[in-house]
């Protein structure tokens, strides 16, 4: 049905040993939305993103994607459901060139649209085109982030999950990356789930947002509405 979310996280609990990092998390992402999850260090943001991919697994609760229960599905099968992830710390292949990294992304989708998709990525991030033969490990932090997103896009995802794309980047580069995300969503209707510590940019960009505190969602609402709430401003914006 049209109203059922593309991704539904229901009552998810994730443990590291006997420490409960997610304590019953509910998050919905609808088709065509940009949804952001904000929270401070250690709130469990990366854990949620990784749990959706099954590493680590949810010990309780359910993760449903496109009407299918993926809670126990192997990670490599989840990647074939056209969910792409650009993990925190970027994890591009440092010894491969920009071109080879982008090829690795396309390999998930079988190279059917390689040239067309490459042009799109270069349109979005002209910097990558200039550096096509440079090794990934020698790119700047911002360029590596662009490459990580570009590589994820080469797999033609239906859901793009980004873990802290602004981490450690200069404001101008952050703006370029967020503009690119907005453009992908606007022009192609790409659904985006964005995990961010940079609450200001993330909430401005997102249709909806969730605030994660200590493994629990404490607030949810429209992105710009959350941005106006005094509790959000005090905890995530002022002086931050
Ligand atoms: P940050 O913004 O700092 O990356 P985060 O919100 O992404 O934080 P997580 O990385 O999900 O937070 O961590 C949530 C909690 O789980 C933290 O207390 C962290 O120390 C703990 N944790 C994360 N990974 C592991 C692990 N592999 N083993 C044990 N504890 C872990």
């Amino acid at each position: 049905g049209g109203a059922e979310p593309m991704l539904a996280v229901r009552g998810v609990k994730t443990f590291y040993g006997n420490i409960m990092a997610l304590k019953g998390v509910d998050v919905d992402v609808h088709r065509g939305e940009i949804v952001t999850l904000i929270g401070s260090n250690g709130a469990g943001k990366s854990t949620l993103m990784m749990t959706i991919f099954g590493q680590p697994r949810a010990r309780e609760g359910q993760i449903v994607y496109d009407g299918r229960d993926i809670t126990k599905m192997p990670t490599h099968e989840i990647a074939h459901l056209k969910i792409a992830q650009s993990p925190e710390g970027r994890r591009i292949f440092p010894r491969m060139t920009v071109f080879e990294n982008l090829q690795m992304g396309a390999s998930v989708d079988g190279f059917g649209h390689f040239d067309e998709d490459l042009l799109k990525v270069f349109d979005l991030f002209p910097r990558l085109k200039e550096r096509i033969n440079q090794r990934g490990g020698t790119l700047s932090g911002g360029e590596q982030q662009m490459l990580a997103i570009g590589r994820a896009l080469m797999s033609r995802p239906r859901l793009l999950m980004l873990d802290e794309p602004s981490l450690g980047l200069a404001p101008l580069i952050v703006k370029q990356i967020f503009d690119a995300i907005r453009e992908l969503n606007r022009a192609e209707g790409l659904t985006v789930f964005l995990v961010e510590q940079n609450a200001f940019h993330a909430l401005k960009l997102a249709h909806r947002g969730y605030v994660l505190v200590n493994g629990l969602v404490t607030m949810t609402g429209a992105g710009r509405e959350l941005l106006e709430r005094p509790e959000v401003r005090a905890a995530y914006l002022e002086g931050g």
Side-chain angles (χ1 to χ4, degrees), residues 37-119:
L37 179 78
I38 64 167
S40 39
N41 284 117
K45 304 181 300 297
S46 299
T47 300
L48 177 60
M49 186 146 293
M50 295 188 297
T51 301
I52 293 167
F53 275 85
Q55 283 176 340
R57 290 215 173 271
R59 196 179 289 179
E60 279 182 47
Q62 231 193 359
I63 301 161
V64 178
Y65 174 73
D66 248 349
R68 283 171 80 172
D69 187 338
I70 63 166
T71 320
K72 298 196 163 82
M73 190 180 275
T75 299
H76 67 273
E77 285 180 31
I78 296 172
H80 283 279
L81 298 175
K82 316 230 82 174
I83 306 179
Q85 187 187 25
S86 177
E88 186 181 1
R90 300 166 194 131
R91 280 187 251 154
I92 52 147
F93 302 105
R95 303 178 67 96
M96 290 188 183
T97 65
V98 166
F99 184 74
E100 289 162 346
N101 268 278
L102 294 172
Q103 278 183 319
M104 293 299 286
S107 66
V108 179
D109 193 49
F111 295 103
H113 316 269
F114 183 76
D115 293 347
E116 182 189 334
D117 292 351
L118 192 65
L119 286 178

Side-chain angles (χ1 to χ4, degrees), residues 29-222:
V29 181
H30 292 270
R31 290 171 188 77
E33 269 192 322
I34 301 176
V35 173
T36 190
L37 179 78
I38 64 167
S40 39
N41 284 117
K45 304 181 300 297
S46 299
T47 300
L48 177 60
M49 186 146 293
M50 295 188 297
T51 301
I52 293 167
F53 275 85
Q55 283 176 340
R57 290 215 173 271
R59 196 179 289 179
E60 279 182 47
Q62 231 193 359
I63 301 161
V64 178
Y65 174 73
D66 248 349
R68 283 171 80 172
D69 187 338
I70 63 166
T71 320
K72 298 196 163 82
M73 190 180 275
T75 299
H76 67 273
E77 285 180 31
I78 296 172
H80 283 279
L81 298 175
K82 316 230 82 174
I83 306 179
Q85 187 187 25
S86 177
E88 186 181 1
R90 300 166 194 131
R91 280 187 251 154
I92 52 147
F93 302 105
R95 303 178 67 96
M96 290 188 183
T97 65
V98 166
F99 184 74
E100 289 162 346
N101 268 278
L102 294 172
Q103 278 183 319
M104 293 299 286
S107 66
V108 179
D109 193 49
F111 295 103
H113 316 269
F114 183 76
D115 293 347
E116 182 189 334
D117 292 351
L118 192 65
L119 286 178
K120 267 197 213 162
V121 168
F122 287 161
D123 241 23
L124 206 57
F125 300 121
R127 188 77 70 91
L128 293 181
K129 187 175 179 180
E130 293 162 18
R131 286 159 196 279
I132 186 162
N133 292 317
Q134 189 171 327
R135 281 178 201 267
T138 65
L139 296 172
S140 74
E143 291 161 355
Q144 289 191 26
Q145 186 59 57
M146 293 172 194
L147 181 56
I149 297 172
R151 190 181 62 184
L153 291 174
M154 291 300 287
S155 69
R156 293 212 156 186
R158 298 184 50 234
L159 173 61
L160 177 64
M161 307 220 299
L162 302 169
D163 194 349
E164 303 213 26
S166 76
L167 194 69
L169 302 183
L172 192 64
I173 305 285
V174 172
K175 186 177 180 309
Q176 283 174 17
I177 300 230
F178 278 68
D179 283 351
I181 297 167
R182 180 181 286 112
E183 181 57 18
L184 282 165
N185 173 262
R186 194 195 57 77
E188 316 208 358
L190 181 66
T191 308
V192 180
F193 183 47
L194 171 70
V195 166
E196 261 297 343
Q197 253 189 86
N198 190 331
F200 178 69
H201 278 99
L203 290 174
K204 249 176 60 179
L205 174 72
H207 300 108
R208 290 190 307 111
Y210 292 84
V211 178
L212 190 69
V213 179
N214 248 317
L216 273 174
V217 171
T218 58
M219 276 182 270
T220 180

